Amino acid sequence: MLTSYTVKSKNSDNVWEFKYDLNGNLKAFKVLSGVLSNQQMIWFFRKGNFPVLESVIKTIWIPNLKQNFEITIGEPDLSFEAFWNSYGNKVGKRKETENKWTRLSKAEKLQVLSSIPKYNNYLKHYPKQQKQYPSTYLNQEAYKNDWKI
């Protein structure tokens, strides 16, 4: 049994995944989205910030890096149902939307799910704008938009 930590940058498209065994030892590290920059590699490896032990994520990363990173403990629910319920506008062709969802990468699914609250907030400020169908939101990659007001 492995414990997963998904680390998503708030300032870029970087998404990383760290997996630890029951003793808190690092078993896997994956870059799910983006590419480590030279500056990040220096910060990780030369400055000794790479979380080889789970305790580093728990005691240092989570409390101190909240302003720059969103850290999710455990496997996030990336099922189609999670998207469908979170999006809320259950219209259009469900099967077509589900097929598109299954073709997305794990990083894209994370990006979609984290963009929905921003999109909903954006729509609150523009009440005359109709919410996109879920299939349109995925097909047009609207989740990549910066939904700032």
Side-chain angles (χ1 to χ4, degrees):
M1 178 93 184
L2 298 177
T3 302
S4 296
Y5 292 81
T6 305
V7 180
K8 182 181 180 315
S9 172
K10 293 181 179 178
N11 304 318
S12 69
D13 66 342
N14 287 324
V15 180
W16 307 316
E17 181 179 66
F18 298 88
K19 291 191 179 210
Y20 297 90
D21 65 16
L22 294 175
N23 295 318
N25 298 308
L26 182 69
K27 288 298 176 188
F29 168 69
K30 273 189 201 174
V31 176
L32 299 176
S33 178
V35 176
L36 287 174
S37 68
N38 286 336
Q39 183 180 5
Q40 288 168 329
M41 285 192 261
I42 290 168
W43 186 86
F44 264 140
F45 303 112
R46 288 194 190 152
K47 293 192 176 181
N49 293 308
F50 193 80
V52 175
L53 301 173
E54 185 177 14
S55 61
V56 173
I57 289 250
K58 287 180 174 179
T59 61
I60 297 172
W61 280 45
I62 291 175
N64 299 325
L65 300 177
K66 288 184 225 177
Q67 69 275 9
N68 294 322
F69 296 97
E70 182 180 307
I71 301 174
T72 307
I73 301 171
E75 288 288 330
D77 184 0
L78 300 178
S79 67
F80 175 74
E81 287 303 317
F83 163 70
W84 192 250
N85 292 328
S86 180
Y87 195 78
N89 191 25
K90 299 177 181 182
V91 294
K93 297 179 181 177
R94 180 186 166 109
K95 190 66 178 165
E96 176 186 313
T97 307
E98 189 170 2
N99 288 338
K100 175 63 178 176
W101 180 259
T102 58
R103 290 191 307 269
L104 294 174
S105 70
K106 186 174 184 178
E108 288 171 320
K109 290 175 182 178
L110 286 166
Q111 188 176 14
V112 170
L113 291 171
S114 67
S115 74
I116 293 170
K118 296 173 193 166
Y119 179 51
N120 288 337
N121 187 47
Y122 174 84
L123 290 173
K124 285 179 189 174
H125 289 83
Y126 299 96
K128 292 184 181 182
Q129 186 170 345
Q130 186 176 5
K131 189 170 188 177
Q132 294 179 347
Y133 280 25
S135 59
T136 304
Y137 193 74
L138 296 179
N139 287 328
Q140 293 184 355
E141 298 182 343
Y143 54 90
K144 293 181 179 179
N145 292 350
D146 186 13
W147 295 109
K148 291 184 181 176
I149 310 305

